[in-house]
Amino acid sequence: MDPQEATTWFNALHSAIGKSTQKALLDANRALVSIIGELKHIGWLSRRSGGEQNGRSSSESSDELDKWQSIFVAVTDRELRLYESAPWSVEAWSRPFESCPLVATRLAGAGNTSTVGSNSSTHSSVFCIRCGTTRGVVSHWLRSETNRDMAAWARVLVQGCHNAIICQREFSFRCLFQGRPCQLIVHLDRGFTLLDSGLGPASKALWTFPFDKLKGSADDGNKLLYLDFSGTEDGAELELDMECCPKPVVFVLHNCLSAKVHSLA
């Protein structure tokens, strides 16, 4: 088979698979919307072995990092869900091997294999998804069959993250501030509020700042989150002990800012 004929066959099969996938998505939503939420996009992708956590590459050898495994991926209205195979029952749909809330998920890069860490991969349809978890940042390097597929996944992920933020709007995180138990509230419209979680009928607001007063943020990758409101009235660089890895807060914060900027476009 010559290259031109192979391309013709590939395009025909790829088109047929795409149509079947869209039909499967509609059929699945009729049974699953009340269980896992509305499916927005589904399909097969290749996932690089190993991966990264907390921004550090896996200790596996370069040969092992060149290995890609087929997985089935679903994006719902609130989650990214990874499956070892295509789910064939309601029970299987409910058991992904990994899932992450879209509000704590970020598309980190697309179309550039130079940062994949692979010596032999020359496939251009590669993109990276980073998830902020209490274990740290978990990165998934994924590969699609075509650049058009990659663009579709990227669009669904970015829009899905923004829509999930807009739908929920308010996010609450337990923390310690100056040794006292508190709740950090991140609200899409009102910004940041720290509530005293002490005993009493009502929580007292210790401080509140809108998003436009935030000059910067940082974390130690372990449990400390720093929010810089210096230069404002009653502002300073505030240190919060999140009692676990602060990456979920960081990713929610970044997605809130991204959603706000995107709404202005």
Side-chain angles (χ1 to χ4, degrees):
M1 182 181 296
D2 60 49
Q4 184 175 357
E5 186 178 2
T7 299
T8 300
W9 273 102
F10 173 84
N11 290 336
L13 290 169
H14 189 264
S15 177
I17 291 171
K19 292 177 181 178
S20 297
T21 299
Q22 288 304 308
K23 183 180 183 301
L25 186 147
L26 294 174
D27 292 341
N29 267 329
R30 282 193 281 269
L32 298 170
V33 68
S34 62
I35 300 173
I36 66 171
E38 182 183 359
L39 288 166
K40 296 294 187 179
H41 202 69
I42 60 174
W44 288 96
L45 292 170
S46 296
R47 177 173 176 258
R48 194 194 71 174
S49 299
E52 297 180 354
Q53 186 164 327
N54 290 323
R56 294 186 293 271
S57 297
S58 167
S59 59
E60 297 181 30
S61 69
S62 59
D63 288 340
E64 290 172 318
L65 291 177
D66 282 339
K67 295 180 180 178
W68 295 79
Q69 179 182 9
S70 294
I71 62 170
F72 192 82
V73 182
V75 178
T76 73
D77 54 356
R78 56 178 180 261
E79 284 185 318
L80 169 71
R81 302 168 72 90
L82 309 181
Y83 300 86
E84 293 180 348
S85 60
W88 288 98
S89 66
V90 173
E91 292 75 16
W93 276 105
S94 302
R95 295 196 301 269
F97 73 81
E98 191 162 341
S99 64
C100 185
L102 287 178
V103 295
T105 300
R106 299 277 287 164
L107 179 68
N112 181 8
T113 58
S114 63
T115 56
V116 179
S118 167
N119 292 327
S120 64
S121 176
T122 58
H123 203 295
S124 62
S125 303
V126 174
F127 57 102
C128 180
I129 297 173
R130 305 182 78 211
C131 304
T133 76
T134 54
R135 310 187 311 274
V137 177
V138 176
S139 298
H140 300 287
W141 284 100
L142 302 172
R143 188 177 70 192
S144 61
E145 290 295 332
T146 68
N147 286 332
R148 185 174 181 178
D149 290 343
M150 180 185 66
W153 281 103
R155 182 170 58 252
V156 166
L157 285 164
V158 171
Q159 291 177 348
C161 294
H162 290 167
N163 290 339
I165 287 286
I166 292 170
C167 181
Q168 186 169 342
R169 306 196 79 80
E170 182 175 288
F171 308 87
S172 177
F173 304 94
R174 187 180 69 182
C175 64
L176 297 175
F177 178 64
Q178 298 177 347
R180 61 200 299 182
C182 296
Q183 289 281 335
L184 174 65
I185 308 297
V186 180
H187 193 282
L188 183 62
D189 302 314
R190 295 191 291 269
F192 305 87
T193 301
L194 189 72
L195 300 178
D196 188 346
S197 296
L199 298 177
S203 298
K204 176 185 176 182
L206 300 179
W207 47 257
T208 182
F209 294 98
F211 273 108
D212 60 5
K213 300 302 182 183
L214 181 67
K215 295 183 64 177
S217 64
D219 67 90
D220 67 351
N222 184 26
K223 64 176 183 176
L224 297 181
L225 174 68
Y226 306 95
L227 299 175
D228 185 4
F229 299 106
S230 60
T232 64
E233 185 178 356
D234 299 325
E237 183 177 78
L238 304 173
E239 179 183 290
L240 300 172
D241 182 348
M242 305 308 298
E243 302 184 288
C244 63
C245 182
K247 292 303 183 182
V249 191
V250 174
F251 276 54
V252 166
L253 168 57
H254 288 174
N255 276 331
C256 282
L257 293 171
S258 179
K260 291 174 77 69
V261 171
H262 188 265
S263 68
L264 300 176

